[in-house]
């Protein structure tokens, strides 16, 4: 036992520098961890309302179940925004085709479309035209001009809460807003309505006994 003590003492003395170095290194690492600012967990990257791609002079066509053209949408430039997946279109033009209904066209200086392409807002020199029906005398061409229109594609409705001028054949009406349903052929004028209505002439022989 006595012979063993000197050997242990010499071993500890030899290892002492290494132990001190390990202690200093460990203390330094601990101090760095304590005094370093922790990086906050920012979570998923927040998308900004910035363009992530664009198309020049594009043309998109939606087909009906029978393969016929349901809607055609064109523009000079279309920009997609990554946060809400909406589209901004320069010089948009659209044309909707429905069986047994007059086609409806629209264009403006600027357009915005939602991600589902079910709502299109038209801004600046906006004009919507519904072609004449099968009998132009009874169902003449209609136009609506305003600085803003909202087109509801699925409902086939055009509306605005801005001043609008509506023409139907020779008739001209002005109002503070409009709701036009192309399915029912109904037009609702809102606000201060004024203008001139020209009645369609009766067909020859109508009203005679």
């Amino acid at each position: 036992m006595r012979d063993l003590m000197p050997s242990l003492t010499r071993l500890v003395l030899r290892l002492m520098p290494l132990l001190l170095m390990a202690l200093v290194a460990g203390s330094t690492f601990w101090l760095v961890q304590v005094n370093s600012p922790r990086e906050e967990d920012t979570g998923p990257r927040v998308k900004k309302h910035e363009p992530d791609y664009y198309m020049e002079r594009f043309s998109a066509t939606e087909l009906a179940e029978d393969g016929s053209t349901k809607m055609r949408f064109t523009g000079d430039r279309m920009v997609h925004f990554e946060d809400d997946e909406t589209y901004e279109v320069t010089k948009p033009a659209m044309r909707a085709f429905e069986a047994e209904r007059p086609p409806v066209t629209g264009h403006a200086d600027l357009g915005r479309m939602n991600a589902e392409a079910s709502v299109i807002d038209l801004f600046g020199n906006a004009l919507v035209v519904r072609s004449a029906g099968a009998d132009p005398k009874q169902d003449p061409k209609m136009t609506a001009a305003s600085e803003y229109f909202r087109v509801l594609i699925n409902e086939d409705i055009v509306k605005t809460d801005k001043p609008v001028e509506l023409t139907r054949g020779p008739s001209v009406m002005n109002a503070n807003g409009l709701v036009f349903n192309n399915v029912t052929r109904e037009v609702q004028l809102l606000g201060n309505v004024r203008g001139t209505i020209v009645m369609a002439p009766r067909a020859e022989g109508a009203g005679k006994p």
Side-chain angles (χ1 to χ4, degrees):
M1 186 70 178
R2 294 179 179 177
D3 295 336
L4 183 60
M5 290 299 296
S7 299
L8 291 174
T9 302
R10 288 194 297 271
L11 179 61
V12 169
L13 291 175
R14 290 177 181 177
L15 294 178
M16 186 63 69
L18 296 177
L19 294 174
L20 290 174
M21 291 179 62
L23 178 62
V24 170
S27 300
T28 303
F29 177 78
W30 179 79
L31 289 173
V32 169
Q33 293 298 313
V34 169
N35 293 286
S36 297
R38 295 184 178 181
E39 295 183 1
E40 297 182 359
D41 184 10
T42 57
R45 184 179 69 88
V46 177
K47 295 182 179 181
K48 299 179 180 179
H49 192 68
E50 296 178 347
D52 54 357
Y53 68 84
Y54 67 91
M55 291 181 284
E56 300 279 359
R57 300 190 179 280
F58 74 94
S59 178
T61 301
E62 180 183 359
L63 301 179
E65 294 182 357
D66 60 359
S68 62
T69 300
K70 183 177 181 181
M71 188 183 75
R72 183 175 294 115
F73 190 56
T74 63
D76 289 351
R77 179 184 174 92
M78 182 166 69
V79 179
H80 179 265
F81 293 90
E82 65 169 353
D83 59 340
D84 54 7
E85 298 186 358
T86 58
Y87 302 85
E88 186 171 284
V89 183
T90 304
K91 295 295 183 182
M94 56 175 293
R95 185 175 180 87
F97 305 87
E98 290 289 341
E100 299 180 357
R101 298 179 195 168
V104 177
T105 62
H107 61 80
D109 294 337
L110 180 68
R112 292 194 179 99
M113 182 169 62
N114 67 347
E116 295 78 22
S118 60
V119 179
I120 301 176
D121 291 316
L122 302 175
F123 301 92
N125 298 312
L127 178 66
V128 177
V129 179
R130 195 211 69 182
S131 301
D135 183 357
K137 292 183 179 180
Q138 300 300 320
D139 190 11
K141 174 182 175 181
M142 292 180 58
T143 68
S146 179
E147 285 302 304
Y148 168 73
F149 283 113
R150 167 159 285 192
V151 183
L152 306 177
I153 301 298
N154 297 334
E155 293 85 355
D156 210 355
I157 290 176
V158 178
K159 62 181 182 178
T160 182
D161 57 359
K162 303 298 182 183
V164 59
E165 180 177 273
L166 176 72
T167 68
R168 183 179 185 272
S171 301
V172 180
M173 301 293 294
N174 291 273
N176 295 338
L178 169 145
V179 178
F180 166 54
N181 190 320
N182 191 44
V183 178
T184 62
R185 311 285 182 88
E186 294 177 346
V187 178
Q188 181 182 3
L189 296 174
L190 310 175
N192 184 20
V193 181
R194 59 207 179 277
T196 303
I197 298 178
V198 179
M199 301 300 294
R202 291 186 176 182
E204 186 175 352
K208 294 182 180 182

